Amino acid sequence: MVSGCAIDIRQNSWIHWLPRISDMKPRPARTFDYSRAVPGVDYSFDKLGETDNRGYMTAQRRGVNVGDYILLAPAGVVNKYRIQKLEYYSSPNDMWIAFLSKVGK
């Protein structure tokens, strides 16, 4: 048995620099514009069905988070999607796949 291993974190001065969760404000949702990007080159979007307003998108860009919006215009009409689920790849580390749902119309 090792004695003296318990550490009282209140004694560590650095712990006071950490923000309290109650003080942290959620980041506002951002919109990423892929309306001028080339489908199949700059990103990939696969709808779940012909009439479904949901699908999976793969692209490369840092800073994309769940709750953010994506603008796509594969047929010339701009559609807005919200990121419902998101996973980043390990390599390259800025590549991600997201489950999107259409917002609005």
Side-chain angles (χ1 to χ4, degrees):
M1 178 178 214
V2 179
S3 63
C5 285
I7 298 173
D8 184 0
I9 61 170
R10 292 173 293 178
Q11 294 175 356
N12 295 323
S13 60
W14 61 267
I15 200 75
H16 300 291
W17 289 6
L18 297 174
R20 291 191 313 248
I21 291 177
S22 61
D23 293 341
M24 297 173 69
K25 295 187 176 33
R27 181 186 64 80
R30 292 185 287 179
T31 300
F32 295 92
D33 190 353
Y34 281 84
S35 63
R36 294 189 190 125
V38 180
V41 176
D42 299 318
Y43 70 92
S44 172
F45 181 70
D46 298 311
K47 289 179 81 172
L48 294 180
E50 287 300 315
T51 59
D52 204 335
N53 291 324
R54 301 173 300 160
Y56 287 95
M57 178 178 175
T58 303
Q60 277 186 271
R61 180 178 262 170
R62 295 187 194 285
V64 177
N65 292 302
V66 170
D68 287 343
Y69 296 95
I70 303 285
L71 299 178
L72 298 175
V77 178
V78 177
N79 292 306
K80 188 174 187 178
Y81 293 87
R82 185 175 180 101
I83 299 174
Q84 302 296 329
K85 295 181 184 178
L86 177 76
E87 285 187 43
Y88 275 91
Y89 289 86
S90 60
S91 180
N93 62 4
D94 63 343
M95 182 174 267
W96 47 265
I97 184 167
F99 180 70
L100 309 178
S101 61
K102 193 172 177 182
V103 177
K105 303 176 191 175

